[in-house]
Amino acid sequence: MSIEDTAVSSALPATRVLVAEDNRVNRELILAVLRRLGYDATGAADGAEAIALFDSAAPPFDLVLLDLHMPGIGGAEAARELHGRPAPAGRSRPVPLVLMTAETDVIDHLTTGLFAGYVAKPLVWNDLDTLIRRLAALS
């Protein structure tokens, strides 16, 4: 699906998505598509920046997309750090963390209990939109 094919969707109102992706071009593309789909999307260049943005966010993020391989603090390490955070006020569950990677062997990462979901790169926009909607509705 191309960006032109995406319509401003009926994404959940004010769904805030944090995208941690070290490749600037990929990050900007993901942010542009998420915004076009109606999400309030913010980007981070690595895990350390994602943790800082997550901790300072007001209102809190509804979902975090974490690239597995980033310099410094990668997605798995950032997930370990963020996983321990309590659920935001007024929510019954912690913020879902979603693994993003081009790797095909991700079972070890998914069985840690840190990630609520997984999206393969290259991203399929409809699948990403569906996953975000499903996880944000559970929060």
Side-chain angles (χ1 to χ4, degrees):
M1 171 187 291
S2 71
I3 295 174
E4 292 79 27
D5 293 336
T6 61
V8 175
S9 87
S10 56
L12 297 174
T15 301
R16 298 192 71 220
V17 179
L18 175 58
V19 177
E21 165 65 63
D22 63 310
N23 181 296
R24 184 187 60 78
V25 173
N26 290 347
R27 183 175 59 250
E28 292 303 320
L29 175 61
I30 295 166
L31 292 172
V33 171
L34 288 175
R35 289 172 183 147
R36 179 148 174 95
L37 290 170
Y39 297 103
D40 178 1
T42 301
D46 57 35
E49 185 179 5
I51 292 166
L53 287 169
F54 183 93
D55 287 341
S56 64
F61 289 101
D62 298 299
L63 184 131
V64 180
L65 292 170
L66 293 163
D67 182 23
L68 182 59
H69 296 292
M70 296 183 283
I73 297 177
E77 187 177 344
R80 281 190 291 278
E81 176 71 27
L82 294 173
H83 187 73
R85 303 293 199 277
R91 296 191 192 166
S92 60
R93 299 176 184 200
V95 174
L97 308 174
V98 175
L99 177 64
M100 233 181 0
T101 185
E103 282 188 18
T104 56
D105 185 15
V106 295
I107 193 70
D108 290 341
H109 297 290
L110 297 176
T111 58
T112 62
L114 298 175
F115 296 101
Y118 157 76
V119 289
K121 291 180 179 180
L123 299 175
V124 176
W125 304 119
N126 286 338
D127 294 347
L128 179 59
D129 185 33
T130 299
L131 179 65
I132 292 171
R133 289 167 176 256
R134 183 175 57 81
L135 292 175
L138 295 174
S139 297

